[in-house]
Amino acid sequence: MSAEPFREDLHGGFPVLQPVSPPPGFAAFVTSMRRLQDLAVAAAPDDATWIEAAARAAGLVELLEPYDAPEGVGPAGRVPELPGTGSLLMPPYVIEQIDAEGVAVSVRFTRFHVGGNMAVHGGVLPLLFDSIFGMVIHGAGRPISRTAFLHVDYRSVTPIDTTLSARGWIREVDGRKAFVNAELRQPDGTLCAEANGLMVRLLPGQP
């Protein structure tokens, strides 16, 4: 499948966001924040420690709040070399391939993503697949598209602390519509989940 040429007029109402290199300290900040997310759901300290942690978190908010910026100005979500492109919202996937043929990523879920019994929460996987679908559209050179639907079949428990592989590809194109597929597998090939969806190219100015 050959990539389509980029057309600004078919980019909808989205700003054209450019990838950036991480500012000094940003990668370390994101790494620490991801570990902090794990501890926020896993730690069970004494009351005094919770009080101190709350004070330190408030201090960090106070430090960063003056720099709150509009969408697309900060580096989060725009650093392809960092897990989850530097966005704490995204599962910490690492992009292995992104081109007209499809997308391949590796991802390692942690304690933060647990839903119960030390397995990844089922609601996390649609977020991963939706992110992959967006990358598939980008890799194919198609303009910005919105997810019209996303269906997930859960085939086996998705473990944490295991490096998993996921891939996505376009199955069929029909004008503005791109029908996409994705799957997530364990190192031994066990299928954790698979997804299919519809991505619809935005009209000019469409949000």
Side-chain angles (χ1 to χ4, degrees), residues 87-132:
S87 170
L88 293 175
L89 172 66
M90 295 296 112
Y93 58 76
V94 176
I95 300 171
E96 309 285 354
Q97 171 197 344
I98 178 168
D99 55 33
E101 298 305 313
V103 168
V105 305
S106 59
V107 61
R108 189 178 181 90
F109 296 105
T110 59
R111 184 69 181 273
F112 178 67
H113 304 104
V114 166
N117 201 25
M118 299 307 287
V120 175
H121 192 294
V124 174
L125 299 190
L127 177 58
L128 173 66
F129 286 134
D130 199 32
S131 301
I132 290 174

Side-chain angles (χ1 to χ4, degrees), residues 171-189:
R171 183 178 76 253
E172 181 184 351
V173 171
D174 180 11
R176 292 172 54 212
K177 300 177 181 180
F179 296 89
V180 288
N181 285 69
E183 61 181 24
L184 177 68
R185 293 183 180 272
Q186 295 194 43
D188 65 1

Side-chain angles (χ1 to χ4, degrees), residues 47-57:
D47 292 349
T49 301
W50 275 129
I51 292 170
E52 181 180 353
R56 293 191 185 189

Side-chain angles (χ1 to χ4, degrees), residues 17-71:
L17 304 180
Q18 299 297 331
V20 297
S21 297
F26 181 71
F29 171 78
V30 171
T31 298
S32 294
M33 287 297 295
R34 288 196 183 277
R35 181 56 184 152
L36 183 59
Q37 289 180 149
D38 287 335
L39 293 172
V41 300
D46 55 37
D47 292 349
T49 301
W50 275 129
I51 292 170
E52 181 180 353
R56 293 191 185 189
L60 191 57
V61 170
E62 183 178 1
L63 174 66
L64 292 177
E65 199 155 32
Y67 303 98
D68 191 3
E71 180 184 5

